[in-house]
Amino acid sequence: MSGQEEDPAPQSKDRIAAQAHRQRQRARRDLVIMLAVVASLLAIAAFFSLIDMWHDWLHHEGHWHGDEIMFALAIASLGLAWLSYRRWQDMKAARAETANLAYSLEQEAAARRRVEEDLRSQIVRFNAASQSAKLGYYIWDVVNDRCLYCSEEYARLYGYTVDEYLALSGGAWELQHVHPDDLARYQQASRETIEARSVMSMEYRIVTAKGEVRNVRLLEHKGEVEDGQLVRSEGTLQDITDLKRAQTQLVQALNASSTIFGFFDAEDRLIAMNDGYKKLLSLESLPLHKGITYSDVLRHGVRTVLPGLSAEQKAAWVALRLDRRKRPAHNLDVQIQSGDWVQLNDLVLEDGSVLTTGEIITERKVIEERLRRSQRLEAVGQLTNGIAQDFNNLLSVIQGNAELLELEQLDQPSRPVSAILEASQRGSDLVQRLLAFSRQQALKLEPIHLSPLLQNAEGEIQDILGPDISLSIACGGDLWQVRSDRTQLRAALRGLAENAAKAMPEGGSLTITARNQEHGEAAAQALRDSDYVSLTLADTGCGMPPEILSRAVEPFFTTDTSRQSSGLGLSTILGFMQQTGGRLLLDSQEEKGTSVTLLLPRALDETDLLGPMTPETAGKGEIVLVVDDDNLLRASTAALLELIGYRPLEALNAQEALTLLQAGPVDLILADRDLVTAAEGIDFAAAARGHRPGVKLLFMVSQKQAQPADDAVLTKPFWRSDLVTKVKAALSAPETG
């Protein structure tokens, strides 16, 4: 407000006083007139009385009497007197009404003064609040393109006083204060809102009279319209420089982190985003500005998001994201074209704005996949452990009875018996591969010379490859001995040769090379501090594409369409190498072949572990007590012992075994370790020697329970030669107290 209106109360009082004075003057005038009329009537009455007397004197009859005329004049005088009295009463009522009106006007003036005081106080508070909020108010004359009114804060935002701003305001002058980079956007928004008669809401920058750049938020309402034309508008302008500075600092902080951040208001217009959000939706090429809609951002960015989806699937995904206020994202995993995985979360605020945050979880995905593989491996390992004992028992029964048949038919070898023995051997190998795959197999680690091992295996490998594939073996001079399991190493060579043969159905070549690899070379393979011997098998086959190469060592993964492969080949070799402290390396290219390298740890010394004893064909009648709850295995083992010269006894459990020990002499107890150690509260070895001092013990264990270089156990399934060797060694062992 530029001025203060005058108090109307004094003017009302003067007007009322003048009106009352005029009423009193009219009352006095009317009274004087009435009195004059009465006097006149009385005078006339007197005159008519004289006339009447004269008429009476002249004529005596036929005319009014004087008393009648006097009566009429008296009546008229009374009427005039009554009218004068009423007029006087009206004047008194008017005077009272005037006094009441004056009192009412006084009360109204007092109330108006109080309202004006409150208004002035509110204006002061509004100015203080607008200054604190940096919010200015204005009214604009659209026709003349000039400012009609502005608050102090509004003028201050531009660096002027109110009078200065009102004097200078105008369209062209106003535009000079809009930042040049925002001018085109400002003019376009202004035109569009004027044509649409809509609210103009935008953020832009202004340049003050002192040359300072400020960020402002404009909210303008198109107000008064005359004859269909816009003549007046009003709005607010708020200084948000500090807010923008804080937002910039926040965005910079978020840019420095791996967090993805995008913020949109209740009308889905962009407020802020960081570089991570731009990268997520590949928005680097999109001209971003505050106010761009989320749908525009999303439709541009979805071209590079979810590369594996079709156009229809992407459209459905866009529709789902546009409905995120009803169905906000919660740990939504999205893969972008770069291959990275991003996890999105939406936070819908009370005012309808949406904050979308994201986190790159590519590494987590890799770890989760490794964990799933590990869990699958563990599950298979648990399954293997569960069935190994029973499977080994069955294989021992098959092998034992087949060997019994073979011994009974020495003069006439039987092909079915040979087939049974071969199948049982393959079954035993399968159990060993499963245990090696699950890293549960007990390996017999010993120093091994690779050169003679490869020479001995050359014929077997060539048979696997067939006549159309050439084989060459090259070993470096002075190869170190390696510490490994001889049986598993030969099985690995056979498995790799089979893979190479399948990769070269039309022929080719397989080259096997071995060379020393010192620690300096092996360090790049993230191995322990040791020297290694690298054993490489390189073929010229079809090779593997990257997607197959990345899964080649997964358990049960196979490209063999004939379903003759268990998918445990490379995964078994991997488990075997990890158990020995080595590593498996794969390198393959399509149409160029595959190279598999086994890094075998160098033997710590040149002393070989105790090798197997040469078995004899028969015992000397020693008594061997076989303890096992598997009737078939126990019976077949006893039959083998009897054929090779021992006298077997059989016991179902530890209690029966102790009873037999009390009944008679026993030289050796051959017992299932799990069975006798499961006896309730019984130390079987101590109890057995308590009944029969000096008795020897030999335990049967499954493959996963066997310890490296453990000659005190017989690993199931076992051959006749293994049985003879272990029994002979146990009987020859020195007595223990």
Side-chain angles (χ1 to χ4, degrees):
M1 296 177 65
S2 59
Q4 181 177 358
E5 296 182 1
E6 297 181 356
D7 187 356
Q11 298 178 5
S12 300
K13 291 179 181 179
D14 294 341
R15 187 169 61 254
I16 294 170
Q19 182 180 359
H21 179 68
R22 287 193 297 272
Q23 289 177 348
R24 287 194 297 271
Q25 285 180 338
R26 285 196 300 271
R28 291 191 188 100
R29 183 189 62 196
D30 293 343
L31 182 59
V32 171
I33 292 172
M34 294 298 177
L35 292 175
V37 171
V38 170
S40 299
L41 290 175
L42 291 175
I44 293 171
F47 174 74
F48 275 104
S49 178
L50 291 176
I51 294 299
D52 186 55
M53 291 174 65
W54 180 68
H55 275 285
D56 286 342
W57 180 71
L58 288 179
H59 300 289
H60 298 286
E61 295 293 340
H63 296 282
W64 285 358
H65 296 285
D67 55 352
E68 294 176 349
I69 294 174
M70 291 300 292
F71 178 77
L73 290 174
I75 293 300
S77 297
L78 289 174
L80 289 174
W82 183 81
L83 289 174
S84 298
Y85 174 77
R86 291 297 302 169
R87 189 62 178 170
W88 180 259
Q89 291 296 325
D90 290 342
M91 183 182 67
K92 289 176 62 178
R95 185 178 297 173
E97 183 179 356
T98 300
N100 291 334
L101 181 59
Y103 178 78
S104 298
L105 289 175
E106 181 66 28
Q107 294 297 319
E108 182 180 348
R112 182 180 179 87
R113 285 193 298 272
R114 288 193 299 270
V115 170
E116 289 177 349
E117 290 175 359
D118 291 342
L119 180 59
R120 282 192 293 271
S121 177
Q122 290 177 6
I123 290 174
V124 171
R125 289 196 296 268
F126 171 75
N127 288 333
S130 63
Q131 186 174 2
S132 299
K134 299 181 179 180
L135 181 68
Y137 173 76
Y138 68 93
I139 300 176
W140 197 266
D141 183 352
V142 178
V143 176
N144 298 314
D145 202 8
R146 55 182 292 270
C147 185
L148 296 177
Y149 167 81
C150 70
S151 65
E152 293 180 1
E153 182 62 23
Y154 182 84
R156 192 193 65 79
L157 290 177
Y158 284 94
Y160 299 99
T161 65
V162 173
D163 294 336
E164 288 173 343
Y165 187 85
L166 293 177
L168 295 171
S169 68
W173 177 83
E174 184 82 14
L175 294 178
Q176 292 176 3
H177 288 277
V178 180
H179 194 281
D181 294 342
D182 297 338
L183 181 59
R185 186 165 57 89
Y186 175 85
Q187 290 177 316
Q188 180 182 358
S190 180
R191 287 192 300 268
E192 291 176 352
T193 54
I194 289 176
E195 293 174 359
R197 306 288 170 82
S198 60
V199 177
M200 180 177 177
S201 176
M202 66 177 301
E203 295 178 5
Y204 61 99
R205 289 166 294 174
I206 62 173
V207 182
T208 67
K210 297 181 181 180
E212 298 177 350
V213 177
R214 293 183 176 274
N215 292 88
V216 294
R217 179 184 291 120
L218 174 68
L219 185 64
E220 182 180 84
H221 296 267
K222 305 302 182 290
E224 191 173 345
V225 177
E226 295 180 0
D227 298 329
Q229 297 295 323
L230 181 67
V231 297
R232 191 169 298 172
S233 63
E234 59 182 343
T236 59
L237 191 72
Q238 185 177 18
D239 186 352
I240 58 172
T241 304
D242 293 339
L243 177 62
K244 298 301 293 183
R245 185 180 298 114
Q247 287 180 350
T248 301
Q249 292 173 350
L250 175 61
V251 170
Q252 289 175 348
L254 292 172
N255 285 337
S257 68
S258 60
T259 303
I260 293 170
F261 165 82
F263 191 43
F264 292 81
D265 62 15
E267 298 180 2
D268 254 357
R269 292 171 301 188
L270 174 65
I271 295 178
M273 69 169 60
N274 68 345
D275 292 342
Y277 197 88
K278 295 177 184 178
K279 181 179 179 181
L280 168 66
L281 298 178
S282 299
L283 302 177
E284 292 84 355
S285 61
L286 183 65
L288 295 175
H289 58 80
K290 304 301 179 293
I292 188 172
T293 62
Y294 177 71
S295 59
D296 292 339
V297 170
L298 192 60
R299 288 189 173 91
H300 178 87
V302 77
R303 301 170 188 169
T304 56
V305 175
L306 307 171
L309 298 186
S310 64
E312 293 78 8
Q313 291 172 321
K314 288 186 177 182
W317 189 82
V318 168
L320 179 64
R321 294 298 296 139
L322 289 175
D323 195 30
R324 68 196 190 286
R325 284 179 176 80
K326 295 182 180 178
R327 291 179 288 179
H330 179 67
N331 294 338
L332 175 63
D333 294 346
V334 179
Q335 187 179 23
I336 59 179
Q337 194 161 1
S338 64
D340 287 330
W341 281 90
V342 178
Q343 188 174 88
L344 299 178
N345 287 281
D346 292 328
L347 176 62
V348 182
L349 305 181
E350 292 182 358
D351 62 353
S353 56
V354 180
L355 172 64
T356 299
T357 60
E359 180 184 1
I360 298 177
I361 58 169
T362 305
E363 185 175 354
R364 186 196 305 174
K365 282 283 187 180
V366 173
I367 294 174
E368 288 176 353
E369 179 61 27
R370 290 176 180 173
L371 177 60
R372 283 192 291 270
R373 293 181 182 179
S374 176
Q375 289 173 340
R376 290 197 297 268
L377 181 66
E378 182 180 358
V380 173
Q382 292 174 350
L383 176 64
T384 301
N385 293 339
I387 66 174
Q389 180 73 30
D390 293 338
F391 197 23
N392 282 331
N393 288 344
L394 292 175
L395 290 174
S396 296
V397 172
I398 294 172
Q399 289 179 351
N401 284 281
E403 288 194 312
L404 287 175
L405 289 174
E406 188 178 41
L407 290 174
E408 292 176 357
Q409 300 176 0
L410 289 177
D411 297 336
Q412 298 177 348
S414 173
R415 182 175 299 177
V417 172
S418 300
I420 293 174
L421 290 172
E422 182 179 355
S424 63
Q425 179 61 53
R426 291 177 61 184
S428 178
D429 290 343
L430 178 59
V431 173
Q432 292 178 7
R433 293 172 67 184
L434 282 170
L435 291 171
F437 153 71
S438 61
R439 305 176 196 176
Q440 297 290 332
Q441 167 144 17
L443 300 178
K444 185 177 181 179
L445 300 179
E446 57 182 338
I448 299 174
H449 290 283
L450 283 182
S451 295
L453 184 144
L454 293 175
Q455 292 175 0
N456 294 333
E458 183 175 2
E460 183 181 6
I461 295 175
Q462 185 64 68
D463 292 339
I464 294 173
L465 296 176
D468 297 330
I469 300 175
S470 61
L471 172 65
S472 61
I473 298 177
C475 296
D478 299 327
L479 275 181
W480 298 321
Q481 288 189 9
V482 297
R483 182 175 175 82
S484 187
D485 184 292
R486 188 182 303 272
T487 302
Q488 292 299 321
L489 183 57
R490 292 190 63 132
L493 289 173
R494 290 196 301 270
L496 293 176
E498 290 174 358
N499 290 344
K502 293 176 182 178
M504 297 180 288
E506 298 179 358
S509 63
L510 175 66
T511 302
I512 302 177
T513 58
R515 70 179 184 88
N516 296 334
Q517 186 167 321
E518 296 182 355
H519 170 60
E521 298 178 80
Q525 310 298 338
L527 295 169
R528 63 185 183 184
D529 295 339
S530 178
D531 295 329
Y532 294 83
V533 174
S534 64
L535 179 60
T536 303
L537 288 81
D539 64 55
T540 59
C542 59
M544 291 181 284
E547 59 271 16
I548 293 180
L549 181 63
S550 63
R551 301 186 59 192
V553 296
E554 287 186 9
F556 306 111
F557 175 77
T558 178
T559 57
D560 189 351
T561 57
S562 65
R563 298 186 179 181
Q564 295 181 355
S565 173
S566 64
L568 290 172
L570 290 177
S571 59
T572 298
I573 298 174
L574 174 63
F576 159 59
M577 294 305 299
Q578 290 175 337
Q579 277 187 282
T580 61
R583 188 164 182 178
L584 171 68
L585 304 178
L586 281 176
D587 183 23
S588 182
Q589 296 182 11
E590 288 188 272
E591 307 302 332
K592 293 185 178 180
T594 300
S595 174
V596 182
T597 299
L598 306 180
L599 291 178
L600 304 169
R602 181 181 180 180
L604 299 179
D605 53 51
E606 299 298 324
T607 304
D608 199 347
L609 301 176
L610 181 63
M613 299 176 61
T614 303
E616 297 181 5
T617 57
K620 299 179 181 178
E622 295 91 338
I623 300 174
V624 179
L625 175 59
V626 182
V627 185
D628 200 304
D629 59 349
D630 188 313
N631 295 330
L632 292 176
L633 177 60
R634 188 178 66 252
S636 63
T637 304
L640 279 175
L641 289 170
E642 187 174 3
L643 283 177
I644 59 178
Y646 298 100
R647 290 191 297 164
L649 298 176
E650 298 182 38
L652 180 64
N653 49 44
Q655 294 294 343
E656 287 189 9
L658 294 177
T659 300
L660 290 175
L661 285 174
Q662 290 177 334
V666 173
D667 298 303
L668 174 68
I669 301 174
L670 177 60
D672 184 285
R673 186 165 63 184
D674 287 341
L675 179 64
V676 296
T677 55
E680 296 180 1
I682 297 177
D683 184 346
F684 181 76
R689 291 192 173 100
H691 292 300
R692 190 65 56 185
V695 68
K696 306 296 179 59
L697 283 89
L698 176 62
F699 292 113
M700 294 181 287
V701 298
S702 63
Q703 291 175 337
K704 68 183 182 68
Q705 295 173 313
Q707 300 298 320
D710 191 349
D711 289 324
V713 297
L714 177 62
T715 303
K716 296 187 287 187
F718 48 82
W719 296 96
R720 183 186 68 215
S721 58
D722 298 327
L723 179 63
V724 171
T725 301
K726 293 294 185 179
V727 169
K728 184 70 173 180
L731 289 171
S732 303
E735 295 184 4
T736 57

